[in-house]
Amino acid sequence: EVQEIIPLPNRVANMQADPSSIMLGREVKAEIEEYVRTIASLYRDSNPFHNFSHASHVVQSTVKLLSRIVVGEDAINYRNMTYKKANGDTLHKTTYGIASDPLTQFSCILAALIHDVDHSGVPNAQLIKEQTAIASLYKNQSVAEQNSIDLSWDLMMGPQFEKFRSCIYKTREELDRFRQLLINAVLATDIVDKELGAFRKNRWNKAFSEKEQRRRRRAIGPMISSNSFSSIMSLDDLTMTDQQIEQVKQEKRMEEKNRMATIVIEHLIQASDVCHTMQHWNIYVKWNERLFDELYGAFLNGRAENDPSTRWYEGEIGFFDHYIIPLAHKLKECGVFGVSSDEYLKYAQANRKEWTIRGREAVARYMSKYNAKNSSMAKRLPASLISLDEKKEDMQSLSPKIPVRMLSKRVVQDDFDDMMSDTEAEHADDLLDGHGKAHDGDYDYDYDHDHNGDRIDLRRRGIPMEISASGDRSYDELVRLNDVDSECADFIVKHITIGGSTEFDDDDSVGTIDA
């Protein structure tokens, strides 16, 4: 769950060395590289927008904003790379502790990297409408975002990344803070959830509204309002010593600082997630077209009710007016990012103005390019538009030896739909017996097969999958256990030829097949 306040360290962390001079061990670097490679493979290349290129773009924007956190010219002694005594505490306060905590900064960057892992290319509302297993798992709340967090976190907690983790946190307190920062940051990218939006707006107002600022000017001490102070005082507190009163005031200051830091981090990630709208026009329209392609493709595939092309022009203007430009103003209001906030606001306003002039032309161009791109693949109709007979013909044309690629029961249906829409049958490469590697056009596998059909172990994307012999089950049971349609289940039963029966455990991560 999103927390209103994440406690950050209440001290200035001395920089013991120039970060660029720190050399990680070879094993640590190898683990980091493997983690990033695996995360990259968990993004779906078939998504025009929500893919690893988008994640990389968001990471770069996050790094840029973090690097432009306001630091006074005299705040750092670059000879010995420490905060100067006179200014260190000021820097800590004016950036609400963000500039002083490497773990917070790393958490922001990692959140940017993982925030759309395994995104299906359709909005949460569609996943909920389709009553998918993943929507049920997360109780119809921030479905895609929670899935991204869980997959990325479970991967990082694996034994193969132990040395990587040892460089991130040392104590249970740091581990808890690290996880909560990731949760708050990734869930902040769900801008459609009304409850989360209202909660975030309320916290921003508590931290930065003009009314709150006026309260602080009347405060008993800096960063603490008289109302806030009196609300924690009782009649018995009137007998407190000056030292006790100062301690209470200090605790309240820390609470308000941490509230500010928490909400600033969330808005930093939000801005990075839509950073293309606050950059040069050419960058904006490039990513805008990719998002259009993704949503238009979902519509053609029967996974969206409304044709986005009919209101895309007007929708972008509303998006600028009600989300992008107000978000850019907030980056400026929090006072943390200096001239970068002016830059983001300037580009957002310029792109909004340019869109009113060239937006209709842009939408027409998107449509023309989309149609031209897909006309050369006219036979590759969306899976939802292919007749049942055509689907059966496609299934029968595939090799009987199809690599089984399932992270969990909630992605079986997606894999089936992808396979049915792939006329080149890239997924039908042979899965060889014995020990070695296999490739199905999209994924590489390491596998072990005992030649008797009793057991196969597949490892894809660094995540273990187990397939073993078991009893008979009909596709009706597959449907019930795995939330797939009968065609998909029938396909699994009839066209994956490894042995003689098929079964899926109720467990989320293990499917057993001997079919």
Side-chain angles (χ1 to χ4, degrees), residues 241-256:
T241 65
D242 291 344
Q243 184 177 3
Q244 290 172 324
I245 292 174
E246 185 58 36
Q247 177 64 28
V248 171
K249 290 165 63 177
Q250 179 63 25
E251 291 174 357
K252 195 62 181 178
R253 292 189 193 105
M254 284 302 303
E255 178 183 297
E256 295 192 1

Side-chain angles (χ1 to χ4, degrees), residues 44 46 405 413-422 427:
R44 305 190 186 191
S46 57
R405 47 191 197 86
Q413 185 69 54
D414 289 341
D415 283 352
F416 172 73
D417 290 339
D418 289 344
M419 198 176 296
M420 290 305 93
S421 65
D422 193 345
H427 304 286

